Amino acid sequence: MEMPKAPINPQKIVVFSGAGISAESGLKTFRDSNGLWENYPVEVVASINGWRNNPELVLDFYNQRRLDAANATPNKAHLAIAELEKKFDVVVITQNVDDLHERAGSSNVIHLHGNLTQARSSIDPGLIYDIGSAAIHIGQTCGLKSQLRPNIVFFGEIPYFLNEAKNHIIEAACVLAVGSSLVVEPAASLLKKARFHAAKTLVTLDVDKVPFGFKLQRGKATELVPYFCQRWLSAGKFTNT
Ligand code: APR
């Protein structure tokens, strides 16, 4: 029997972000690079098999992405989302591994696919180390003497915090999805948990399929996200867009 759903919290918004929100900060999206990252096929540099076959290449790939992210700055979309915390209960659920939401001032950010600013043990996923923008090299080991790896969820691994993310979306009076092609599962299916009466908006440039009940607002994150956030802050409540 389905458990009764938690009541909607009228003050709660979940922002579900993807690579497109960081595009205007200069960080390449996956889709816009035709599925290649720095000319490497994803399965070579971002999969569990790629890690096993050539850990040095994977470490170098993420060392470069970590530097790119450290040199990027939050854009107006990140800042507008942080601003919402003035009046609302905001949870950011991001597929991104950069820390631009945090650096913009968002205080409650859930990284489904991990964080570039962290390393982890390659045998115990719970053994995590904050490394900022530092590189990880072959030979650097965790407390259990295993090779350190990026705290990134590789293709073929299970994303983090899925259940927590689902529970936040169920309670949200507003779900704002920004800059995602919604092709990667199981992250994208989280949006199906948004409530019928919640205000649901998808801001992106292009998407194959708009999730049921979501209003597609086609445009740039730095233009549309500040506009909607300002509208909600002025009204003191979430409205459909
Ligand atoms: N403003 C708004 N949307 C944008 C902008 C922009 N300036 N630039 C690009 N986009 C949109 C694109 O139209 C696309 O729909 O952002 C989306 C980016 O899609 P992807 O590159 O597939 O990124 P994402 O959806 O986050 O990918 C999900 O797949 O790449 C793997 O694990 C990685 O977390 C990532 C996951």
Side-chain angles (χ1 to χ4, degrees):
M1 183 183 75
E2 178 94 348
M3 292 289 285
K5 285 183 179 169
I8 290 182
N9 171 349
Q11 292 304 306
K12 185 165 189 169
I13 175 170
V14 164
V15 177
F16 178 89
S17 67
I21 199 169
S22 299
E24 292 165 87
S25 294
L27 297 182
K28 267 201 215 87
T29 68
F30 170 69
R31 191 182 171 98
D32 299 346
S33 338
N34 305 316
L36 288 182
W37 267 330
E38 316 306 335
N39 302 319
Y40 289 108
V42 164
E43 52 282 353
V44 169
V45 288
S47 73
I48 190 64
N49 289 333
W51 168 248
R52 287 185 185 129
N53 296 337
N54 190 343
E56 209 139 3
L57 174 63
V58 174
L59 289 177
D60 289 347
F61 175 76
Y62 281 99
N63 289 342
Q64 185 54 56
R65 288 189 69 199
R66 190 172 304 111
L67 280 179
D68 294 344
N71 293 328
T73 47
N75 62 50
K76 283 185 280 186
H78 297 105
L79 294 165
I81 290 162
E83 193 88 2
L84 284 176
E85 293 189 11
K86 279 185 181 157
K87 274 197 182 165
F88 299 111
D89 172 8
V90 186
V91 177
V92 177
I93 297 173
T94 187
Q95 299 172 93
N96 299 338
V97 292
D98 62 60
D99 59 345
L100 294 177
H101 280 298
E102 290 89 338
R103 286 162 53 199
S106 286
S107 58
N108 194 350
V109 183
I110 294 174
H111 285 267
L112 300 173
H113 295 163
N115 293 10
L116 283 169
T117 59
Q118 293 175 332
R120 58 158 265 215
S121 159
S122 46
I123 52 174
D124 173 0
L127 207 44
I128 293 170
Y129 305 86
D130 287 320
I131 57 170
S133 62
I136 306 175
H137 297 295
I138 287 287
Q140 281 177 302
T141 57
C142 74
L144 301 172
K145 300 285 172 254
S146 85
Q147 172 65 49
L148 279 181
R149 57 169 269 188
N151 185 27
I152 298 288
V153 177
F154 292 141
F155 282 96
E157 294 182 319
I158 310 284
Y160 298 145
F161 309 119
L162 284 175
N163 199 44
E164 184 183 345
K166 181 190 76 173
N167 292 336
H168 282 304
I169 291 176
I170 286 172
E171 284 178 5
C174 179
V175 179
L176 171 64
V178 189
S180 179
S181 61
L182 302 180
V183 295
V184 172
E185 295 297 354
S189 291
L190 284 169
L191 294 182
K192 292 177 189 153
K193 298 296 178 191
R195 303 291 277 274
F196 178 80
H197 294 292
K200 299 179 281 289
T201 301
L202 169 59
V203 170
T204 189
L205 291 179
D206 62 75
V207 64
D208 298 340
K209 191 171 172 303
V210 180
F212 177 76
F214 276 75
K215 175 87 166 80
L216 173 61
Q217 295 287 357
R218 196 184 295 275
K220 287 187 165 184
T222 55
E223 287 162 15
L224 293 182
V225 173
Y227 171 71
F228 294 128
C229 290
Q230 195 45 53
R231 209 162 92 182
W232 293 327
L233 283 167
S234 316
K237 64 183 167 82
F238 300 114
T239 52
N240 278 304
T241 58

